[in-house]
Amino acid sequence: MADGGALLVVAIDGPAGSGKSTVARRLADALELDYLDTGAMYRAVTFAVLARGVEPDNLEAVAELAEALKIEMEPDGTILVDSVNATTEIRSSEVSRCVSEVANNQRVRRELVSRQREWTRRRGGGVLEGRDIGSVVYPDADLKVYLTASAEVRARRRAMESAEVSEESVARDLARRDAYDSQRQNDPLRQTDDAIIVDTSDMTIDEVVTHLVTLVPGRSDEGNPSVR
Ligand code: DC
């Protein structure tokens, strides 16, 4: 178990559009755990960087801003950034374009990873989704899942979430972000050897969630001892 047995932690990593957020939220409900969208935290910092006219490649100014920033994530999905409701704005194409660079800032990562661990400790565990949960935030998570899907399916899903842009431009942004997120210097997206890989291209959300519940140690009669 994560943290010497005190916490029940499920780590869900994968590229954009792999279904992480929906699956993680539904899995958290099924397990009666809280859910944390860590990508939203990197987006919140990026939103503040852009709103204050800071250059995303100014490492020191971005790090200082992140370290002082108040990010509140309400259970209903509302995200307050220094008390401003930025729930919609953090998903804008401008934030999506700049978030990878902000997420490659080592001091920003250190700050947000520490907040993610604190969030989890306070709740006695949780379902965390992101890019580095199983590799950095909780390498000893009780269950590590790597969700993936074909590039085409992922672009279609992201385009459906946003009326703002075409599927072609979403596909271009995803491909650029995937390449950056998996090749970046600091804590890149990667599959750990002990993660369960689930390709969600041809699966419904229900199928994925039902499958994952059976893999959580102690949560199902059908629990798979190989992941303990
Ligand atoms: O999941 P998302 O697309 O909302 O994530 C936004 C960006 O944040 C993504 O391009 C990579 C980064 N990210 C990260 O580096 N580490 C995480 N744990 C979560 C997201």
Side-chain angles (χ1 to χ4, degrees):
M1 275 205 174
D3 217 34
L7 306 176
L8 175 66
V9 176
V10 178
I12 304 201
D13 291 301
S18 56
K20 289 191 309 287
S21 301
T22 319
V23 166
R25 202 175 302 118
R26 293 271 305 275
L27 183 62
D29 279 350
L31 299 172
E32 298 183 340
L33 291 173
D34 284 316
Y35 152 73
L36 184 63
D37 172 0
T38 63
M41 299 173 76
Y42 290 93
R43 286 176 177 275
V45 174
T46 308
F47 164 78
V49 163
L50 296 173
R52 290 172 205 186
V54 174
E55 289 301 326
D57 63 355
N58 183 335
L59 293 180
E60 199 170 328
V62 170
E64 277 170 13
L65 191 158
E67 285 161 4
L69 195 67
K70 193 160 101 187
I71 306 173
E72 292 165 277
M73 316 200 36
E74 309 283 339
D76 69 355
T78 302
I79 292 165
L80 303 176
V81 180
D82 268 351
S83 306
V84 172
N85 187 335
T87 314
T88 308
E89 289 80 356
I90 64 160
R91 310 279 167 201
S92 72
S93 46
E94 204 192 353
V95 168
S96 296
R97 228 181 357 259
C98 299
V99 65
S100 288
E101 179 147 32
V102 170
N104 192 33
N105 184 312
Q106 202 162 23
R107 266 174 66 191
V108 171
R109 301 202 70 81
R110 198 184 314 137
E111 174 65 25
L112 296 189
V113 167
S114 142
R115 293 189 195 192
Q116 289 154 19
R117 290 183 180 140
E118 179 58 28
W119 178 96
T120 309
R121 262 195 301 272
R122 269 203 244 119
R123 285 160 179 80
V127 177
L128 285 78
E129 63 111 334
R131 302 294 191 289
D132 62 340
I133 309 301
S135 57
V136 175
V137 186
Y138 279 105
D140 58 349
D142 298 85
L143 176 65
K144 294 191 201 181
V145 181
Y146 188 91
L147 285 191
T148 184
S150 70
E152 196 189 352
V153 167
R154 295 193 290 112
R156 197 178 319 136
R157 285 177 183 161
R158 275 286 154 112
M160 271 162 42
E161 283 168 13
S162 151
E164 201 182 332
V165 278
S166 70
E167 195 171 314
E168 290 72 31
S169 92
V170 171
R172 268 198 307 277
D173 175 61
L174 276 192
R176 188 186 55 76
R177 221 141 50 85
D178 281 355
Y180 194 106
D181 291 340
S182 40
Q183 288 159 25
R184 72 178 179 217
Q185 203 180 349
N186 300 312
D187 307 334
L189 169 67
R190 65 178 177 87
Q191 293 170 14
T192 59
D193 291 341
D194 52 353
I196 307 229
I197 299 168
V198 182
D199 186 331
T200 66
S201 304
D202 299 315
M203 291 175 84
T204 65
I205 299 291
D206 278 344
E207 286 169 341
V208 178
V209 173
T210 304
H211 175 56
L212 294 183
V213 167
T214 67
L215 301 178
V216 178
R219 291 297 175 117
S220 164
D221 294 342
E222 299 159 58
N224 176 354
S226 66
V227 298
R228 278 160 203 252

